[in-house]
Every structure is written in structure tokens, then in C-alpha cells.
Amino acid sequence: MRPPLIAVAAVAVCTAGARAEPLAYFPFDSDFSDASGAGNHLVAGAGSPSVTTAEAERAAGAGALDLSSSTADEEYLNFTTPLEFAAGEPWSIAFWARHRPGADPRSGMVVGDLGGSDFIWIPRDGAVDGLRFRNSAGANADYNDGVQPDGAYHHWAVVADGAGQIEVFYDNASLGTRAITTSFAITSVGQAFNQTTQSMDGQIDELYVFGEAIDAAQVEGLFLDGELPPPPPPPEPAGRLRVFLVAGQSNADGRGDPSGLPTAPVDLQSPQGDVDFFEGAGGPLRSLQPDSQFGPEITLGRTLADLVAGEPASRVAILKHANGGTDLKNQWKAGGDATTAGDGTEYVALQTAVANGLAALAAAHPDARIAIEGLVWVQGERDARQGYHEEYSANLTAFIADVRQTFGADLPFVVVRLSSGQTNLPLANLAAVRDAQTAVAAADPAVELVDSDPFSLLADALHFDAGGQQQIGAASALALASHFPAGSISIRPGDPGGVEIDLDGALPGFRYSLQSNPALTAGGWSEVETKTAV
């Protein structure tokens, strides 16, 4: 029995990411030793830095670093080995800090490059009463809102994603994200920029440096417990990998702003550890997560993973190739067989991405059965604009046939129809492509049509916004799931004169119909009962 397509379901729980391991960690309980195991200790750079054990002067553990800049010989520490992060590298720094009562309001250098431009500074001088991050190029990102310059201990975390974004947390609350190049060098603790009056005059405790971007849950662990949360249990080895493809042009590539993704009850802005993702020819294979923009893959993967969560050792993977402004007639043209001969450049690129993605999946999950189970196609705008609308039905039919020769006979194929709201396109051509997409889906029982008319668009009347991309992904997942085999049927005696029937593997929220055909004749099936799986 094939369950029919139903309305978009709610997204469910996402698994936590892996535990981050620090490049350096200084508890300052008794000395300046690196407790991470990396051996990058701190040594005195000037003055007489010390560890204070006074209860009011420590945030956690037995002590805290005490630094003074009240004299010309300010106190600071140097790393045994300086740390340097390029603009494309993620990193994070977390610490507790407080100003000494009566200290110069300009004091507050936590870490940075002695004599260079790089620093993290927490003054309370009126211009900056929160935190200033300055990168290696001398650009600033200031965080003042919601900060209390009261001289008490507060917890800070500065997280650089390696893609030009920095986020700052203050006492476990995000102060927001800034776009800034995150190149950063650290040679010292308590001093930077070579300005005595800005050196730290107070205490620093529980200083962490990571070579990756820690997430909000890990920041919370550092804030609440002074340490990272324990790593999640290792996932069950995948016995079955259900692979789904995403292809098309700009709305498949995605123009959604990641800030529009929810963080509760599911944090879709963070990596989804139970869904593998491979994009383009070179990957790499990673957990599904948004980059600087996102497409339908985020909720496509999440919804599919939730639907198959009850299957033992089953895992979802998304392989994607998309390129904005590309047409079906030429660039996605099908050559007509399972080879790349005669295929358009983008279709060849998709096949390369799939081959490399499957190889990466096989290496990551060597014992898993891997099968491609569907493709989501988000394309048509370019053909409408270029006047290829009259050929779109034939071209799409040929493309689906070639895809099935290449990736599997009867492969479920989801067509996300152009929206009537994409009025940036020539309207007559838009209508023709929409009609072609509808007709192709109606003629093939293994092609599903997703109606994008209710989905939200950006102001350009061409691209779907963050909400629209989530709607495309979730609806496409349910369209694909309508082709999942339900599993085995078991029948046992029920009430007198009746039976009870169980359907293994039924998907929650889908309706399943029991039909009878006493004579087993064509067209002789009649519905007995319909139930919705829970």
C-alpha cells in the first residue's frame, strides 16, 4: 500500500554535536599550566602574575589568575607557543573575568597579540562597556547591549565560524552575530596592543581556547559547570544508508538566511549529527548544517531522519549539486543513457558529486547498505526566462528517464513546481513551465509534485526566503516518504469473525488504506478501512 502525500509535519528533535576538544585550557587553580594535554603553558611576560585563591576573586575551582596594570610594569603572561587562526579557520575562546575594584576603566585586555592589532578586550570606559574583538587587520566588532560593567565575574565566549561571522555569548546569552574577518593571533594573556592602561587589572579564570566553533550547548556547559558537557554516546553503526539527492538552480542552491532557522524546539542552525551531507564534487562529507545561506536540504534531511528514526541502524544522507542561473535545456540536458555522453555540464557535475559522495559515505560507514532513494528537483526559472518553456515538458521527461538509468530504475523524483509568486519571470513563460511540471508529474506515478505557491519568497519575487526553503524541504521529504515501502503485514485473529492487522514500518501521520479484491480482478479493489499511523 502506498500512503498518500499529506500536509507538512512538524520538525522533531536533533541530536547533539560531538564534544569539542580545547587547544589549551587554563583552570588557574594553582599555576599557569595547560590542562588540555597539549602542553601550551603560560609563562610570565612581565611583572609578577599570580594565582589568587581568595573566594571573591575566583569564579570556579581553587584559584584564578590575578593581574595588575596599576604600575608601569603591568603584569601579563605569554603562551609557550603562540596561537594563530587564519580568516577561514574556526576558533572559540571562553573565560570568566572581573575588573579589580577601582581599576582604570580602560583596563580589560584578556588575550591578544602583544604589539599587534589582535585582541579581546572587556573595558568599561563608556565607549566600550562590553567586549571588543579586533582582528589581525585592525577591524573591530563591539558588543555592549545587555552587559553590566559592574566589576563582578561574568562569563564570556567568543565564537568564530571561519566563514566571516563572529558570535559573542555573555553569561550564557548570545549577544548576536557580527560579520567580520576572524583572522586572529594570540601571544599573550592579560595584555595586547602594547598599551599599559588597557592591560588587565583584575582576574581571569577558566580560560579555554578551541580550534573550532563551539555551539550554544557547549557554551552553556562552560557557563554552568566550568567544563564542556560530556560527549554524546557514539551513534549506532549505520546498517542502512538512505541517500537522497538535491539538484537544480538557485532555489536548490538556496538563498535562505540561516538566522531564519529555528533554534527551538529544534536547533536547525547547528549541525544535525544524524544526517550526513555532501555538496558539490569535493564535499567534504559532514553533518548537515547551514552555511552562509541554505536551501531545502536542512528540513529535507531533518524530516526524513525523523520519519525513519524507528528503523534500527538506519541513517539519512543528502548529496547535493546545484548552480544558480542554469537551464534544463542545455546545462542539465540528458544524453539519454547511463553514461555522461551528451549530458549537460551541470548534469555531469551532479553525477560527479553523487559518485564522490557515495564513496565518502562508504568510507565513513563501511558496513552499511547504501541506496539512492529519491531526487528533489528545484529548477525551471532559467528556462522560463530564456524562452525554453515550450520544450520544458519534453526536456524534463528525458531528464527523469536518464536519471533513472543512471541512479536506479523507478527512482522517486520530486518536482518542486515554480511558484505563481515568482513574478520576476515572464508571466506567460512562468505559466507554461508550471503547466509542464504539473503534466510530467501527472503522467508518472513515481514523480511527485510539490506545490510551492503557499511558500514564502524574498522581496525579489524570485527566490524563496528562509521560511520558504524550510517549507520546500519538509514538503519534499513527505513526497519522497510517500514512496517508502511500509514493511511487512501481520494478520492475527481478532474479535469473533474478524482479524487484526499490523503494518510494520508505517510512518507516523500517514494514512494507510486496507483494500479487498475477492476476485483478484483488475480494478476490482475496494476500500475496507483507512487508518492514520501514530
Side-chain angles (χ1 to χ4, degrees):
M1 293 179 291
R2 174 181 160 189
L5 181 63
I6 62 170
V8 175
V11 178
V13 177
C14 169
T15 57
R19 175 189 174 98
E21 296 298 335
L23 295 177
Y25 164 45
F26 306 97
F28 296 123
D29 286 345
S30 59
D31 55 24
F32 311 138
S33 298
D34 175 12
S36 73
N40 193 1
H41 306 304
L42 294 171
V43 296
S48 302
S50 63
V51 170
T52 173
T53 58
E55 184 174 355
E57 296 177 343
R58 64 181 193 263
L65 175 65
D66 187 60
L67 297 171
S68 172
S69 63
S70 59
T71 66
D73 294 326
E74 78 278 8
E75 299 175 348
Y76 61 88
L77 295 164
N78 289 332
F79 283 85
T80 306
T81 303
L83 298 169
E84 187 169 359
F85 302 102
E89 294 179 303
W91 54 266
S92 306
I93 295 173
F95 57 89
W96 289 91
R98 69 184 288 269
H99 297 95
R100 192 183 311 279
D104 189 311
R106 294 168 292 179
S107 68
M109 284 292 178
V110 179
V111 295
D113 185 7
L114 187 65
S117 64
D118 320 62
F119 58 73
I120 292 174
W121 181 40
I122 53 166
R124 46 203 172 102
D125 65 353
V128 181
D129 283 331
L131 180 144
R132 170 172 288 179
F133 164 71
R134 179 173 291 181
N135 64 16
S136 296
N140 294 333
D142 290 345
Y143 290 83
N144 291 318
D145 294 343
V147 177
Q148 300 296 322
D150 52 13
Y153 257 116
H154 294 284
H155 187 258
W156 295 91
V158 182
V159 180
D161 66 359
Q165 300 285 332
I166 191 165
E167 184 173 14
V168 170
F169 295 82
Y170 172 75
D171 287 345
N172 199 35
S174 175
L175 299 185
T177 301
R178 304 277 194 277
I180 185 172
T181 302
T182 53
S183 54
F184 193 53
I186 314 171
T187 63
S188 302
V189 174
Q191 218 270 23
F193 200 50
N194 202 25
Q195 298 289 325
T196 301
T197 54
Q198 296 171 339
S199 299
M200 187 67 194
D201 193 355
Q203 289 84 41
I204 301 171
D205 203 3
E206 303 298 317
L207 172 64
Y208 283 86
V209 182
F210 301 92
E212 58 189 286
I214 61 175
D215 60 25
Q218 293 166 330
V219 171
E220 182 177 36
L222 294 172
F223 173 72
L224 295 177
D225 305 320
E227 60 184 26
L228 290 171
E236 182 180 3
R240 176 185 182 185
L241 274 173
R242 309 183 71 154
V243 180
F244 302 90
L245 312 182
V246 175
Q249 57 180 110
S250 57
N251 278 313
D253 184 29
R255 299 295 182 264
D257 184 344
S259 66
L261 287 167
T263 57
V266 183
D267 185 3
L268 294 184
Q269 296 185 21
S270 297
Q272 301 182 44
D274 58 344
V275 181
D276 293 309
F277 183 62
F278 189 95
E279 182 174 17
L285 184 67
R286 57 187 175 92
S287 294
L288 179 62
Q289 65 186 89
D291 292 316
S292 58
Q293 56 188 18
F294 72 94
E297 66 278 355
I298 299 299
T299 50
L300 175 72
R302 180 71 265 134
T303 306
L304 288 168
D306 291 336
L307 287 172
V308 304
E311 296 178 356
S314 189
R315 186 176 178 90
V316 166
I318 307 291
L319 308 182
K320 172 178 169 179
H321 171 72
N323 194 3
T326 54
D327 63 70
L328 175 59
K329 178 181 178 179
N330 300 301
Q331 292 156 300
W332 288 95
K333 180 181 64 174
D337 57 33
T339 74
T340 57
D343 292 343
T345 54
E346 296 302 327
Y347 186 25
V348 172
L350 171 66
Q351 293 170 73
T352 301
V354 172
N356 292 343
L358 291 175
L361 288 170
H365 307 282
D367 298 324
R369 292 179 291 110
I370 302 176
I372 299 174
E373 299 191 16
L375 185 148
V376 176
W377 178 246
V378 192
Q379 195 277 339
E381 294 90 345
R382 185 67 174 176
D383 294 76
R385 189 172 302 282
Q386 293 298 106
Y388 303 149
H389 50 285
E390 293 183 356
E391 308 162 63
Y392 197 85
S393 178
N395 291 339
L396 181 57
T397 300
F399 180 69
I400 293 171
D402 195 302
V403 162
R404 288 177 177 158
Q405 291 184 72
T406 304
F407 299 125
D410 300 320
L411 186 76
F413 194 101
V414 173
V415 176
V416 179
R417 189 174 62 184
L418 295 185
S419 170
S420 60
Q422 291 177 287
T423 54
N424 195 316
L425 300 170
L427 297 185
N429 298 3
L430 168 63
V433 172
R434 281 165 51 85
D435 289 345
Q437 293 171 325
T438 302
V440 169
D444 188 330
V447 175
E448 295 289 343
L449 188 74
V450 168
D451 179 9
S452 67
D453 286 357
F455 302 163
S456 52
L457 291 155
L458 292 169
D460 64 5
L462 184 64
H463 296 105
F464 291 91
D465 63 12
Q469 284 291 355
Q470 293 174 71
Q471 291 168 307
I472 290 174
S476 297
L478 293 172
L480 288 167
S482 71
H483 292 267
F484 289 178
S488 62
I489 298 175
S490 59
I491 302 175
R492 62 181 182 273
D495 295 331
V499 295
E500 292 183 358
I501 299 176
D502 290 329
L503 183 61
D504 295 332
L507 298 175
F510 280 71
R511 291 171 60 82
Y512 293 85
S513 295
L514 178 66
Q515 297 179 329
S516 66
N517 186 347
L520 292 179
T521 57
W525 294 94
S526 59
E527 183 174 324
V528 177
E529 188 176 7
T530 297
K531 291 289 187 181
T532 301
V534 294

